[in-house]
Amino acid sequence: MSDSDIPVPSSVLEPLDARLADLVALYEDLHRHPELAFQETRTAAEAAHRLTAYGYDVTTGIGVTGVTGVLRNGPGPVVLLRADMDALPVTENSGVPYASTVPGRMHACGHDVHVTCLLGAADLLAAGRDRWSGTLVVLFQPAEEAGNGARAMLDDGLYSKELVPTPDVVLAQHVAPFGAGLIAYCPGACMAAADSLEITFHGTGGHGSRPETTVDPILMASAFVQRVQSVVSREIAAKERAVVTVGAFHAGDTANVIPDRAVVRLSVRSFDPNVRTAVLAAVDRIARAEAAASDAPQGPEVKIIDSFPVTVNDTAVLTGVNEDFTRFFGEQRVFAYEPATGSEDAGLLASAAEAPLYYWWLGGWDPDEFRAALAAGRLAQDIPSNHSPRFVPVARPTLATGVQALTVAALSRLGGK
C-alpha cells in the first residue's frame, strides 16, 4: 500500500505510539502540579512552549492565563479545538504515585487529561499538515470550573480583536468515569445550564445560653436547606430535568456563640429556560420565607456566583464526526449517552462565533475495573465520579484515545489534500 492509499487519520496518527511516553510524563507532571482558576501559569507556559515548538502562532495571557495556537495551512475551514486547564480545591486521596503535590488542590475533573490530549493532537496535526488544508486553532482555556474562563477570553478580544480567526466549528471533549478507550456522545442538549448561588441569612447574634435574645441564622439557614430540597420533587414536573444541590454551609466559630449570619452556597442545574426560571424563583422565595418565619432583622442576600449556559451539540457536525469516529474506532467503542447534569462553558466559544459545537465524552477509568463494577451493579459505589478526591483517569489507553478523537474530529472538519 502506498502512502496515498493510507486513510488520512491513520497516516496523521501514525507517530502517536512514539510520542505516548512523553504524553504520559506530561500528564503525570500536570497532575502533580494543579492550578486553580486564573492561576494556571505553569500549565499555560508548558502549552505555549510546546505549541511554539510545533510551529503554531502562539498568543498568551488571553483572559488572564488563556493560550491559543494558530496553524494556517492553506484554504479551508477554521477548526477550533478547546481544552480547559484549571484544577479544583480538592484534597487528593487517590494513592497514585504522581498525586498532587499542592495541598488542597487536585485535578479532580481531568483537565490535565484534556491539556495533554490537545497538545498531543496539536503535535500530530502540525506534523501531518501535508494531509489537510485549512486553519487549525487550539485553545487552552482557564477557569472552566469557575464558569467564567471562556467569557474572560472572549471579553479579552479572542474574536473581536482577531487574536484568533473566527472558527467555523468548535470541538471539545471531557474525560468521564467510564471505560477508557470508549467515546460517548449526546445529540442536542448534552449538558445542563448551571447557576451557583450564595445566600446570606442575617440574624441577631448572642450568647448560646440565651437563644431567646437572638434570631438564630443557623436555624434559619438549616430550615432553608431542608425545604429547598422540595423544589425539584414538588414544583418541577417529573418529565423535566433539574437538580438543586447545597454544597457549602458556613456559620459561626465556636460552640457557645450564636452568630449573626449564615452563608449557604448551592448549585441549580436545568435544561429548559422555563424550568431554570421556576427553580431560581423558588429558591429565592423559600429563602425569603424562612427569613420572614424567623423574624430576621433583614431579608437574605441572594447572589449569583457563576452561570453556565446549556451545552448544545449541533446535529449535523455530530453526525459527520461520529461517522469518522465509527470508521476509526469501530462501532463497539462509540455509543450514545444520556444528557449530563454537569455543566460547561465551551458552548460560549461556539455561540460567540455563531459556529456549531460538538462536545463528546472520553472514557478514563480502568476498563477492567469499570466492567467489573458494571457487572456487579456497583458503578456509583466503585467508580469515582468527576470532582471526587479519588478521580484519576488512567494514562493508558485514555491519552491515546483522547489524542486520536481530537485528531480524527479535526480532520473530519478540515479540508483534505
Side-chain angles (χ1 to χ4, degrees):
M1 178 181 290
S2 67
D3 288 347
S4 61
D5 295 328
I6 300 174
V8 170
S10 296
S11 64
V12 174
L13 284 163
E14 189 174 1
L16 177 57
D17 285 347
R19 288 162 161 78
L20 264 179
D22 175 64
L23 292 176
V24 171
L26 171 63
Y27 164 56
E28 294 181 353
D29 179 72
L30 293 174
H31 192 84
R32 287 190 187 97
H33 301 94
E35 298 171 303
L36 299 180
F38 295 120
Q39 299 174 23
E40 311 93 333
T41 54
R42 187 179 185 277
T43 306
E46 181 67 24
H49 171 74
R50 288 179 175 249
L51 291 177
T52 300
Y54 303 155
Y56 287 76
D57 294 328
V58 177
T59 304
T60 62
I62 308 173
V64 184
T65 50
V67 177
T68 60
V70 179
L71 189 62
R72 293 175 173 84
N73 193 35
V78 179
V79 174
L80 188 151
L81 304 179
R82 174 267 200 179
D84 38 13
M85 300 186 291
D86 55 323
L88 284 159
V90 171
T91 298
E92 184 160 354
N93 184 27
S94 68
V96 298
Y98 51 93
S100 170
T101 60
V102 184
R105 299 181 187 179
M106 177 195 175
H107 268 297
C109 202
H111 296 185
D112 45 357
V113 171
H114 303 171
V115 171
T116 303
C117 290
L118 183 50
L119 285 170
D123 181 13
L124 295 178
L125 287 162
R129 72 187 76 184
D130 60 324
R131 306 306 302 271
W132 58 270
S133 179
T135 297
L136 179 65
V137 179
V138 291
L139 182 147
F140 296 84
Q141 179 201 307
E144 184 276 335
E145 297 293 353
N148 51 6
R151 173 55 59 197
M153 294 188 76
L154 292 167
D155 289 346
D156 213 7
L158 181 68
Y159 302 145
S160 62
K161 296 180 181 177
E162 299 182 350
L163 302 180
V164 301
T166 302
D168 296 305
V169 64
V170 174
L171 305 169
Q173 64 185 4
H174 202 299
V175 69
F178 57 85
L182 301 176
I183 300 289
Y185 65 90
C186 176
C190 65
M191 298 191 80
D195 296 281
S196 294
L197 292 79
E198 180 180 273
I199 303 178
T200 302
F201 292 91
H202 296 278
T204 303
H207 201 290
S209 67
R210 300 187 65 201
E212 74 279 7
T213 67
T214 73
V215 175
D216 189 345
I218 294 180
L219 182 62
M220 192 189 314
S222 297
F224 165 80
V225 171
Q226 291 276 36
R227 181 63 184 268
V228 81
Q229 302 305 317
S230 69
V231 173
V232 173
S233 64
R234 291 297 177 267
E235 300 192 36
I236 302 302
K239 66 180 180 179
E240 303 289 355
R241 289 173 177 263
V243 177
V244 176
T245 297
V246 176
F249 191 121
H250 300 286
D253 297 300
T254 191
N256 65 344
V257 176
I258 294 173
D260 61 3
R261 67 181 59 199
V263 178
V264 174
R265 290 187 174 185
L266 66 154
S267 175
V268 173
R269 312 279 174 151
S270 58
F271 288 90
D272 180 89
N274 293 327
V275 171
R276 183 185 193 182
T277 299
V279 172
L280 291 174
V283 169
D284 184 81
R285 184 191 74 237
I286 291 170
R288 297 186 185 285
E290 293 297 346
S294 294
D295 195 22
Q298 67 181 86
E301 297 174 40
V302 181
K303 180 173 68 174
I304 299 287
I305 302 171
D306 61 59
S307 293
F308 292 79
V310 177
T311 302
V312 181
N313 277 330
D314 180 84
T315 301
V317 173
L318 179 148
T319 300
V321 171
N322 278 1
E323 289 176 355
D324 285 347
F325 277 170
T326 301
R327 275 193 288 268
F328 185 84
F329 293 110
E331 291 184 1
Q332 298 303 312
R333 293 175 61 188
V334 182
F335 65 97
Y337 201 65
E338 291 294 314
T341 48
S343 304
E344 254 289 350
D345 64 354
L348 293 175
L349 299 172
S351 59
E354 299 183 352
L357 170 76
Y358 181 21
Y359 188 98
W360 63 89
W361 291 289
L362 170 72
W365 206 253
D366 178 270
D368 293 334
E369 290 184 17
F370 181 80
R371 282 191 290 268
L374 180 63
R378 290 185 54 84
L379 286 179
Q381 295 83 1
D382 295 346
I383 307 299
S385 65
N386 300 71
H387 292 211
S388 163
R390 297 187 296 117
F391 183 76
V392 181
V394 294
R396 300 173 188 266
T398 305
L399 299 180
T401 306
V403 172
Q404 290 164 342
L406 287 170
T407 305
V408 170
L411 291 171
S412 176
R413 300 295 92 189
L414 290 163
K417 282 191 176 180

